[in-house]
Amino acid sequence: ARDVARGPRWFANWADHPSVVPAPGGALLAHWLVRSGDGTSRYGYGIRAARATSERAPWSTMFTAEPASDDYAGFLAFVPESDGFSAAYLAPAESVPSPAPVPPADHGAGHPEPIKTLVFTRVKGDGQTATRDVIDADVCSCCSVAAAVSRNGPIVAYRDRAAGEVRDIAIVRRVGGRWTAPRIVHADAWTIPGCPTNGPALAASGSRVVVAWFTAAAGVARVRVASSSDAGATFTMPVTVDGGHPIGWAGVVLLPDGDAAVSWLEGTPGTAAQVRVRRVSTDGRIGDPVMVAAAAGGRSTGIPQIASDGGRLLLAWRDGRVRTALVDATTLPRAR
């Protein structure tokens, strides 16, 4: 292990957390969060992003997004590129003021909600910002953002915020160099007066796109999955993959045969929970779930992560320390 960055003013939070992803040519991308100004603000923070040209090369900070107030920019999702990178993230509204009360320094605490926009920024290899697009002007304020690349270009999934505090999962796509209008993946009609801090997951390869997410519409908690065969232009009706008591925090990767592996945190009696994963076929059928590990049921677990190198799945979560597990993807049960 080696340091990417080090500093005294970092914003460390269970929901808005750093990331590192591989990029073409062996490069690596990383981001983290730093408190604004002199660091005394409880809630004002912004983004730092860095790039290393190889696993052992030095890291160079290429991008910052730091609001000038007690507001924040965060929940970044990278889109790696051969020269530089693009990233989707939440940023303060540029024309609508945030509410006056300053929220406590804990996402998901039911705080007065600042208006957030979804931004997509392209950063060139020399660190210069090439483009910056606001692709949705009013979104849920503290749900993670997911990004991937389909055959038509970048696609971003996020929790939207519509009139009446309806917070369903939406996508936007860049097609032919232009962003589409936001589109709801499925109208769950989850009405909730504050951000649930439970964002979507997204995977794409060619024309196939899969979205997984948590919803508690009508008071029923579910983890759902929907897929697209036309690069995100349309989606199937969702299937429910949880065991009846999901906490959420879905993850998804595509397998070599086109099926998806979906992970989530499932509640169990008491305060315990389980990190689970199951196969979802291209036609929407689901295999039996696999219990990867026991975990705590609260925020101490963090947000479980899933990645794939084709034949294997790597899952990671917190349990006082960071825990990981490898799963042979070929052993995931198929639908009967």
Side-chain angles (χ1 to χ4, degrees), residues 218-263:
V220 180
R222 301 181 182 93
V223 172
R224 289 182 148 176
V225 179
S227 63
S228 170
S229 59
D230 54 12
T234 60
F235 281 87
T236 62
M237 289 292 292
V239 296
T240 298
V241 299
D242 62 81
H245 302 282
I247 297 170
W249 302 328
V252 63
V253 294
L254 289 177
L255 303 176
D257 61 3
D259 288 355
V262 180
S263 63

Side-chain angles (χ1 to χ4, degrees), residues 155-289:
I155 180 171
V156 181
Y158 59 100
R159 191 173 296 282
D160 203 0
R161 182 187 187 193
E165 300 294 357
V166 178
R167 298 172 189 257
D168 289 341
I169 302 303
I171 64 161
V172 288
R173 302 176 299 133
R174 193 170 67 193
V175 180
R178 303 185 67 176
W179 289 101
T180 63
R183 178 173 180 172
I184 298 299
V185 175
H186 179 262
D188 297 321
W190 186 14
T191 302
I192 177 173
C195 178
T197 317
N198 217 316
L202 174 68
S205 178
S207 298
R208 181 151 166 74
V209 179
V210 179
V211 182
W213 72 95
F214 173 83
T215 181
V220 180
R222 301 181 182 93
V223 172
R224 289 182 148 176
V225 179
S227 63
S228 170
S229 59
D230 54 12
T234 60
F235 281 87
T236 62
M237 289 292 292
V239 296
T240 298
V241 299
D242 62 81
H245 302 282
I247 297 170
W249 302 328
V252 63
V253 294
L254 289 177
L255 303 176
D257 61 3
D259 288 355
V262 180
S263 63
W264 74 97
L265 194 65
E266 181 80 20
T268 59
T271 59
Q274 296 178 351
V275 178
R276 294 185 182 181
V277 62
R278 79 191 309 169
R279 181 187 292 266
V280 180
S281 67
T282 55
D283 60 5
R285 296 178 299 143
I286 57 176
D288 292 336

Side-chain angles (χ1 to χ4, degrees), residues 71-210:
D71 211 336
Y72 58 90
F75 296 95
L76 178 143
F78 280 114
V79 177
E81 298 178 1
S82 58
D83 177 30
F85 62 87
S86 293
Y89 56 94
L90 303 186
E94 298 175 0
S95 59
V96 181
S98 297
V102 177
D106 187 10
H107 288 299
H111 53 69
E113 191 167 10
I115 302 298
K116 280 287 175 287
T117 60
L118 179 62
V119 175
F120 192 89
T121 295
R122 164 84 173 96
V123 179
K124 297 186 293 185
D126 60 3
Q128 297 297 310
T129 298
T131 58
R132 183 183 185 278
D133 300 317
V134 174
I135 52 180
D136 194 323
D138 188 0
V139 303
C140 204
S141 65
C142 51
C143 278
S144 54
V145 174
V149 179
S150 74
R151 71 174 185 195
N152 290 338
I155 180 171
V156 181
Y158 59 100
R159 191 173 296 282
D160 203 0
R161 182 187 187 193
E165 300 294 357
V166 178
R167 298 172 189 257
D168 289 341
I169 302 303
I171 64 161
V172 288
R173 302 176 299 133
R174 193 170 67 193
V175 180
R178 303 185 67 176
W179 289 101
T180 63
R183 178 173 180 172
I184 298 299
V185 175
H186 179 262
D188 297 321
W190 186 14
T191 302
I192 177 173
C195 178
T197 317
N198 217 316
L202 174 68
S205 178
S207 298
R208 181 151 166 74
V209 179
V210 179

Side-chain angles (χ1 to χ4, degrees), residues 252-256 261 306-315 329:
V252 63
V253 294
L254 289 177
L255 303 176
I306 185 171
S308 172
D309 67 356
R312 297 181 302 174
L313 306 175
L314 174 66
L315 292 102

